[in-house]
Amino acid sequence: MTVAQSTLLDPAASFTEWGFAVSPSSRPSLLPVTDLVDLALRRNPKRSHLLVSRVLAKHVPTEPGIAVAAGLLLGMQVRHALRPHADTDTLVRDAASRFHDLLAGEPWSNANRAVAIADLCRDLRCQPASPDVATIGYAETATGLGQLVADSLGSYYIHSTRHAVTGPEAVRPYAAFEESHSHATYHQLLPTRHSALSGVGTIVLVDDELSTGATIVNTITALHATAPHRHYIVASLIDLRPAAERTRLDGLAAKLDCRITVVSLANGDIALPGDLPAKAASYVSHFANELVSASKAGDVSVLDLTRSVDPIRSARFGNSARATASGADRIAEEVATVVPPTGRLLILATEEFMALPLAMACALQQRLPRASVRYSTSTRSPIAVIDRQGYPVRSAVSFDSHNATTDGPGRRYAYNFNQAGQRFDHVLVLAEPGTQEAALTGPGCLAEAVSMTGASVHVVLLPAAPPFPTPGEGPSFGSYAASEVRWLIKDLSFAELEAPTAVRETAIQSGRANYAESLPQEYEPSSEYEELYKAALSRSASRVACAVGRVTEQVLALRAGAPVLVSLARAGTPVGILMKRWAAKVHCVDLPHYTASIVRGVGIDQTALSYLASHYAPERIMFVDGWTGKGAIARELEAAVAEFWRTDGARFSPELAVLADPGHCSEIFGTRDDFLIPSACLNSTVSGLVSRTVFNRDLVFDDDFHGAKYYRELASKDVSEAFLNTVSERFADVYDNVVTSAGAGTVESVGDRSADWSGWAAVERISKDFGINNTNLVKPGVGETTRVLLRRVPWKILVRSTSREDVQHVLLLAKLRDVDVEYVDDLPYTCVGLIHPLRRAVSMTDADAKAEAL
């Protein structure tokens, strides 16, 4: 709203008189501490003084390249601490010398200066990745600095936050700690994947200054209690700790049995006389604050980029190395169209949102070489303003907060709009992505306050990406209604992933590729096969409905009537929907239902588990699948949730509820009969037109869900809804049967549900008897045998002699693909599919092509 200025005498002289000073230390220092910091007073009873950085670009508008160079140079110091080497030490000292020369230069002139800054930043950036390192920056001051250090290391990055994260943005906290001297003391760490922190050997903690080290001690203690680490590196622009505090950190390392290393650009000493708080309070109380404004307020405009640039994910949820660079240039391209190519331009970021605006400021400086671009951010820190030469904070604006924080709403500040007697012509405001226009431009808000300096204000609105990917819903993904299921799946419909069956089989069996890296080709089923499917559905709809009722009743009992169903895509997806429908029809309960990917050899999607753990109590989750074969997926699930408990601290039950359990691998099932579940007959056309799931690292990145494709082009053949309706219509008919079997002492009752894994033993026998010696190539049960014939290169089909009428669709597929069928009297499954071993000739025949046309 206004610019506040004081009219007091020279504050520097008063500080000297008080004995309040920062001075070089006897300890070795890369740079003189006085190059990097000035002293100021603040209105805070917990700490009356403030160290104002000359290179951080927080309270003092700074050349973007200087702030970047400072962060990257600190990152180089960390890298040397990670891997000490004489050559690295030489590089650090050479870069520090160049940086020192730049700090001594005149920031408002010198045409060669921009080139020198750019060259230094380029030389500091060319560094390898550090996969066993995670970097943490402190809110709010060091969030941008921490990102720069992480960029220099090539490490994972997250910053602490004081933001209140609720609703769709809810993320399970990893750790919390206190910053005792701050206005808002409580910090949280909210990584979407806890393993990104718990699974690394070294944690780098980045702050702008170390004065006591108390916050560092609190942080390391909290982190080590969550997951111990071998090494902690504390990186700060300046280190002013007295000897006693340095010893305290050594004691903590000994107590925790770890290493703690401290690096900084400058070491120094700070003199804080005992009566400083009283003198500072008296000094501040006598400020003759004159509320002044420019003769004419600047205009305010809004640049809405919410539909022009990719959504931006906040670093408070964690990101991979160099994540800020991707969007900064695109934003700069848009911004360059609305600001003049000359004049004095300030890029004003807000509080914790520092890294991307700084990267954008650098990109904009390159696009506007004739403009004088500076960068700073707003803050919650109320600094005493003194408009006198030599004092670092000479003007201020104050306004209402616009972000929801843990300590509630309050006043916010931005400083030094009148720098060295020169005002800014334009101020470009970049607030946290997702901030609404009214929160920035209304009365008492940021834009109004800045406009009172006389500058033209351009408010840039940016789109926010949620911490987790947004679950897919029909009709935009899949043909199931949004009310039936939410897909924890990334839409890969754009990708060409289909490959011929023989090509996929060779790659899978040779070990060159996981089966989930590509997809089998999807074709429309023939009319003959469609009729066979309809006949199978007509015969078994009631049987399926009864199994649905039985398994749903068990799940409701096991989860206190409030389970969250998580079906395993894609065979489990229609089963999960049917269970949801049973609960709604019989119990009037609307169960949440998601579907997620599980891949043999990879496990269940860890991003999906993180999403679920942040939105529901893990003990409510019940995993759902269509059937068991030999139990490979049940074992995969058990191992995956155990690993997630170890790395991410959320304990999901490995229980798997299935419609049919012929493999005797689960204790929660509708039946143990090996019969045809009609949804196994078809591919996507009975599964919401969604492909099987994909885990391909060229398309699925660290924070993504596993992927799948939506085959919209097969809509005319889609029977997904018809299948669900046919089975659901039988619920009333089987209700009495379900209720009776649940309470009676039948084989389907609770007393006889132990899992003896006899199916796995049978598969091992078959593998040996037929000379395959690879259980992965033996697929037992009607559902798995059907998949072999539709997706893989089949060798033989084994059918129980008494079950010929139950597998007519299998026999048809085998005939079309010229696959031998053997009838076995004592087969424990209705049928078993044997995949062609690689050592035998694997080639596509005319019969294969004909079968693929199904």
Side-chain angles (χ1 to χ4, degrees):
M1 298 185 316
T2 56
V3 177
Q5 297 179 323
S6 77
T7 58
L8 297 183
L9 298 176
D10 183 1
S14 298
F15 294 170
T16 302
E17 180 182 332
W18 298 347
F20 172 38
V22 168
S23 59
S25 169
S26 59
R27 291 176 289 150
S29 186
L30 197 61
L31 292 166
V33 68
T34 50
D35 277 4
L36 302 182
V37 69
D38 286 310
L39 292 172
L41 303 178
R42 65 176 180 176
R43 305 171 187 271
N44 183 350
K46 297 178 183 178
R47 180 185 281 185
S48 57
H49 68 281
L50 183 73
L51 299 166
V52 178
S53 175
R54 295 180 178 180
V55 298
L56 185 65
K58 184 66 179 176
H59 309 113
V60 179
T62 305
E63 293 164 282
I66 289 293
V68 170
L72 296 178
L73 181 58
L74 185 60
M76 184 177 276
Q77 282 274 75
V78 174
R79 194 166 56 258
H80 183 53
L82 283 167
R83 293 179 289 273
H85 194 280
D87 289 345
T88 307
D89 184 62
T90 301
L91 288 172
V92 169
R93 296 192 177 280
D94 174 69
S97 177
R98 293 162 64 187
F99 188 58
H100 174 73
D101 291 343
L102 288 169
L103 293 179
E106 170 54 52
W108 293 93
S109 61
N110 191 348
N112 295 325
R113 181 178 176 81
V115 175
I117 293 174
D119 288 346
L120 177 58
C121 292
R122 183 197 62 233
D123 294 344
L124 289 168
R125 281 188 188 279
C126 302
Q127 309 304 334
S130 303
D132 194 36
V133 176
T135 302
I136 299 173
Y138 284 94
E140 64 179 32
T141 310
T143 60
L145 181 66
Q147 181 75 68
L148 289 165
V149 171
D151 287 352
S152 178
L153 300 175
S155 77
Y156 171 87
Y157 176 66
I158 189 170
H159 67 71
S160 67
T161 185
R162 299 184 180 104
H163 278 238
V165 180
T166 58
E169 284 203 342
V171 175
R172 191 168 46 100
Y174 178 82
F177 54 89
E178 294 287 327
E179 184 182 10
S180 57
H181 64 269
S182 176
H183 275 79
T185 61
Y186 185 67
H187 290 246
Q188 290 188 97
L189 291 172
L190 301 173
T192 51
R193 284 300 316 279
H194 287 199
S195 58
L197 292 177
S198 67
V200 299
T202 300
I203 295 286
V204 179
L205 300 171
V206 182
D207 210 350
D208 61 311
E209 50 99 352
L210 282 176
S211 53
T212 68
T215 303
I216 295 296
V217 170
N218 292 343
T219 307
I220 292 176
T221 301
L223 289 172
H224 212 74
T226 303
H229 302 274
R230 298 188 306 272
H231 192 188
Y232 297 89
I233 299 177
V234 181
S236 179
L237 293 175
I238 60 170
D239 183 358
L240 304 178
R241 291 173 302 149
E245 296 297 343
R246 296 197 297 274
T247 302
R248 182 184 179 193
L249 214 52
D250 294 338
L252 180 64
K255 177 183 176 182
L256 299 180
D257 191 25
C258 65
R259 291 173 59 204
I260 300 178
T261 305
V262 179
V263 300
S264 65
L265 298 188
N267 291 316
D269 296 317
I270 184 169
L272 299 172
D275 59 354
L276 177 61
K279 286 184 175 179
S282 175
Y283 199 81
V284 170
S285 69
H286 286 84
F287 277 178
N289 284 335
E290 182 183 353
L291 301 180
V292 299
S293 62
S295 58
K296 180 182 178 182
D299 57 313
V300 176
S301 62
V302 174
L303 177 61
D304 188 347
L305 299 184
T306 54
R307 298 181 182 275
S308 305
V309 301
D310 291 336
I312 298 160
R313 186 173 185 265
S314 172
R316 65 176 173 270
F317 304 122
N319 62 38
S320 56
R322 301 178 179 90
T324 57
S326 57
D329 194 63
R330 179 74 185 93
I331 298 170
E333 180 183 2
E334 293 285 346
V335 166
T337 65
V338 300
V339 295
T342 59
R344 296 185 178 90
L345 171 64
L346 174 66
I347 311 301
L348 182 65
T350 57
E351 297 183 60
E352 295 180 6
F353 183 52
M354 296 180 67
L356 188 139
L358 176 57
M360 194 285 297
C362 289
L364 189 62
Q365 178 74 85
Q366 293 179 349
R367 290 179 176 273
L368 305 175
R370 292 187 296 150
S372 180
V373 178
R374 297 294 178 268
Y375 168 82
S376 66
T377 85
S378 65
T379 176
R380 63 174 60 229
S381 186
I383 307 173
V385 176
I386 306 173
D387 188 21
R388 295 292 178 180
Q389 186 67 33
Y391 187 76
V393 180
R394 300 181 60 178
S395 64
V397 296
S398 175
F399 47 90
D400 295 331
S401 59
H402 57 264
N403 291 322
T405 55
T406 54
D407 59 332
R411 298 298 288 172
R412 300 295 185 261
Y413 309 89
Y415 298 104
N416 288 311
F417 285 86
N418 184 358
Q419 181 158 323
Q422 301 183 73
R423 295 181 182 273
F424 292 103
D425 303 310
H426 296 266
V427 177
L428 198 71
V429 174
L430 273 75
E432 187 87 26
T435 304
Q436 297 300 305
E437 178 180 340
L440 297 170
T441 59
C445 294
L446 173 57
E448 180 188 66
V450 174
S451 71
M452 297 305 292
T453 67
S456 294
V457 181
H458 310 271
V459 176
V460 181
L461 302 180
L462 298 171
F468 293 102
T470 302
E473 294 179 346
S476 60
F477 186 79
S479 63
Y480 293 131
S483 59
E484 304 265 35
V485 63
R486 303 187 76 199
W487 298 83
L488 302 181
I489 297 290
K490 180 179 181 179
D491 187 355
L492 299 179
S493 300
F494 62 88
E496 294 293 333
L497 289 165
E498 291 78 9
T501 302
V503 173
R504 292 185 73 247
E505 193 65 53
T506 301
I508 292 166
Q509 289 195 42
S510 67
R512 296 199 312 271
N514 184 285
Y515 71 93
E517 292 180 23
S518 62
L519 288 172
Q521 293 171 321
E522 292 258 353
Y523 296 99
E524 295 184 17
S526 66
S527 56
E528 181 182 11
Y529 195 77
E530 282 183 329
E531 290 304 315
L532 209 158
Y533 160 78
K534 292 175 183 177
L537 178 58
S538 177
R539 287 197 309 271
S540 60
S542 293
R543 200 173 181 183
V544 172
C546 188
V548 168
R550 287 172 175 170
V551 73
T552 307
E553 291 299 322
Q554 295 168 59
V555 169
L556 288 167
L558 288 167
R559 294 294 185 268
V564 176
L565 304 178
V566 180
S567 55
L568 303 182
R570 69 184 169 184
T573 309
V575 176
I577 294 174
L578 288 169
M579 292 174 67
K580 179 181 173 72
R581 288 188 177 188
W582 177 277
K585 184 176 181 61
V586 175
H587 298 280
C588 298
V589 176
D590 185 14
L591 300 182
H593 175 217
Y594 297 86
T595 197
S597 167
I598 189 168
V599 174
R600 181 167 50 82
V602 174
I604 193 166
D605 184 347
Q606 301 286 286
T607 301
L609 290 183
S610 294
Y611 176 94
L612 293 166
S614 290
H615 291 79
Y616 300 97
E619 57 269 20
R620 289 184 60 194
I621 303 300
M622 177 62 77
F623 296 104
V624 174
D625 206 357
W627 56 83
T628 65
K630 56 180 174 284
I633 290 300
R635 290 187 172 184
E636 195 76 50
L637 176 64
E638 183 176 20
V641 297
E643 177 66 7
F644 192 80
W645 163 241
R646 185 187 70 81
T647 61
D648 286 64
R651 193 168 204 163
F652 293 95
S653 169
E655 292 173 309
L656 180 63
V658 294
L659 202 62
D661 180 39
H664 291 244
C665 310
S666 174
E667 296 182 353
I668 310 168
F669 55 85
T671 180
R672 276 188 166 150
D673 292 343
D674 183 19
F675 74 104
L676 173 61
I677 299 172
S679 59
C681 286
L682 302 173
N683 283 327
S684 67
T685 52
V686 76
S687 304
L689 296 182
V690 173
S691 73
R692 56 168 309 287
T693 59
V694 174
F695 184 72
N696 185 317
R697 277 301 190 185
D698 291 334
L699 298 167
V700 176
F701 307 114
D702 286 344
D703 297 316
D704 287 339
F705 295 136
H706 291 188
K709 296 183 70 170
Y710 175 23
Y711 292 114
R712 296 172 177 83
E713 64 275 17
L714 298 181
S716 64
K717 297 291 185 178
D718 187 18
V719 295
S720 305
E721 184 70 14
F723 167 73
L724 296 173
N725 291 340
T726 300
V727 175
S728 299
E729 288 166 0
R730 308 291 176 92
F731 285 169
D733 298 338
V734 302
Y735 174 77
D736 290 340
N737 187 321
V738 170
V739 172
T740 300
S741 64
T746 66
V747 277
E748 306 290 81
S749 68
V750 175
D752 302 294
R753 294 187 175 277
S754 59
D756 61 13
W757 295 84
S758 55
W760 191 280
V763 166
E764 289 179 326
R765 262 195 328 272
I766 293 168
S767 175
K768 182 178 179 180
D769 290 348
F770 284 84
I772 297 175
N773 298 317
N774 183 348
T775 56
N776 289 334
L777 302 183
V778 179
K779 302 296 184 181
V782 179
E784 293 302 307
T785 303
T786 304
R787 287 177 169 183
V788 168
L789 289 162
L790 289 174
R791 304 181 190 171
R792 306 293 292 270
V793 177
W795 174 41
K796 291 180 184 292
I797 302 299
L798 311 181
V799 176
R800 190 164 54 207
S801 300
T802 58
S803 302
R804 189 185 303 243
E805 293 303 315
D806 296 328
V807 291
Q808 288 300 306
H809 76 291
V810 169
L811 298 177
L812 173 61
L813 287 173
K815 178 181 178 182
L816 290 170
R817 298 200 67 173
D818 287 339
V819 177
D820 290 341
V821 176
E822 293 190 17
Y823 294 96
V824 182
D825 291 337
D826 59 349
L827 194 67
Y829 293 91
T830 299
C831 58
V832 176
L834 305 182
I835 296 173
H836 220 306
L838 187 62
R839 65 179 180 271
R840 295 179 170 87
V842 178
S843 62
M844 287 290 286
T845 66
D846 290 342
D848 290 328
K850 182 179 180 183
E852 296 241 359
L854 291 169

